[in-house]
Structure formats: C-alpha cells, structure tokens
Amino acid sequence: MQASSDHISTHLSYTCLYTTGLSREELLEAMRARRAYGATDNILLDYRLVEPNGAEHLMGASVTVRSAPRLRVHASGTAPIRRLDIIRNARYIYTAEPGKSEAGITFTDSEAAPGEYSYYVRVLQYDGQLAWSSPIWVTRK
C-alpha cells in the first residue's frame, strides 16, 4: 500500500500499518503481512474477516473458508462518512451510507460461490477524503 501523491502536492496522505509495536522488525513484519491501508486524512480503518468459530483475519490476510465470508469494518473519520464500500474482485457488492464520523458494518457475502476472491474496503467522507484497505484474499471451498 502506498498513498503519497506523485505530483508534489501539498495535501497529506498516509500509509497506515497494523503492527504490534514500532521496532524495525515489527514494522517490517506488518508490511510483509500486508496489514496496511492508505488514507488522505487521519482516518482510522479496521477491516477483518471473521470466521464462524470467532477467528479473525486482518486486512492483507489470505484465508480459506468453508462458509460465506463475513467481513467486519469499523471506520473513524475526521468528517461524516458518506460511504463505506465493500468491493469484491473490482466490483462494488455492498455500500452503507452512515452519515456520521464513526461507523461499523458487518457484511456476509452469501452470493460468494466456491472460488477465489479479493475483498477490500473503501471509505469516502463527505469532505472528499478517502481511505482504502489492503485486500483480504479468500478461497471459498
């Protein structure tokens, strides 16, 4: 995940990591595990797949499941959130419009047949600021 501009603009953007600490090793481990998201403002994004047995997998994970993938998203923005989108294989499959600066959703993709999928989340605030997650790669058996 890389979120900086390439045109020397003055706006801010961030690459954010889910890590257990701030040591070099911990940061590199988070990057290797793809536990990252990009944001154009101080938007917090927690995105994971939750299995029926309660096991959770953070963004960046590759997971094999036997049931419909259940995705959980929590976003905390700097302005009201206009849309929370879940995208499967480059197609929007679910959208929520919370209208407040903090929102959480859980979505079960009951239409996912056996096969391979990538799911990611996009957050759009009313002020135009964005966050987008690393995918979770899912193989459904």
Side-chain angles (χ1 to χ4, degrees):
M1 180 62 63
Q2 214 280 358
S4 65
S5 72
D6 61 356
H7 52 80
I8 312 172
S9 70
T10 59
H11 74 275
L12 299 175
S13 56
Y14 305 93
T15 298
C16 307
L17 295 173
Y18 271 87
T19 181
T20 57
L22 298 176
S23 73
R24 176 182 171 87
E25 292 77 23
E26 291 163 318
L27 293 171
L28 287 171
E29 193 276 328
M31 286 183 228
R32 288 182 183 117
R34 303 176 298 227
R35 292 190 313 266
Y37 69 95
T40 60
D41 205 345
N42 293 323
I43 301 168
L44 300 176
L45 177 58
D46 183 335
Y47 166 53
R48 52 190 74 203
L49 181 140
V50 181
E51 293 190 64
N53 67 3
E56 296 184 352
H57 306 276
L58 289 170
M59 62 181 88
S62 293
V63 182
T64 299
V65 297
R66 299 202 177 278
S67 59
R70 186 171 65 149
L71 307 169
R72 190 172 70 205
V73 180
H74 183 266
S76 182
T78 58
I81 297 168
R82 182 176 188 167
R83 293 173 54 131
L84 281 173
D85 298 311
I86 295 179
I87 298 126
R88 177 186 66 211
N89 294 353
R91 294 186 141 181
Y92 288 79
I93 61 168
Y94 181 80
T95 296
E97 298 177 345
K100 51 189 177 178
S101 62
E102 190 163 335
I105 60 170
T106 299
F107 171 76
T108 301
D109 187 6
S110 57
E111 295 182 7
E116 295 182 359
Y117 302 96
S118 65
Y119 293 90
Y120 73 93
V121 171
R122 180 177 172 267
V123 178
L124 172 63
Q125 296 184 156
Y126 276 102
D127 64 2
Q129 300 299 320
L130 296 165
W132 54 96
S133 72
S134 289
I136 295 175
W137 289 269
V138 177
T139 300
R140 180 158 185 205
K141 296 282 182 175

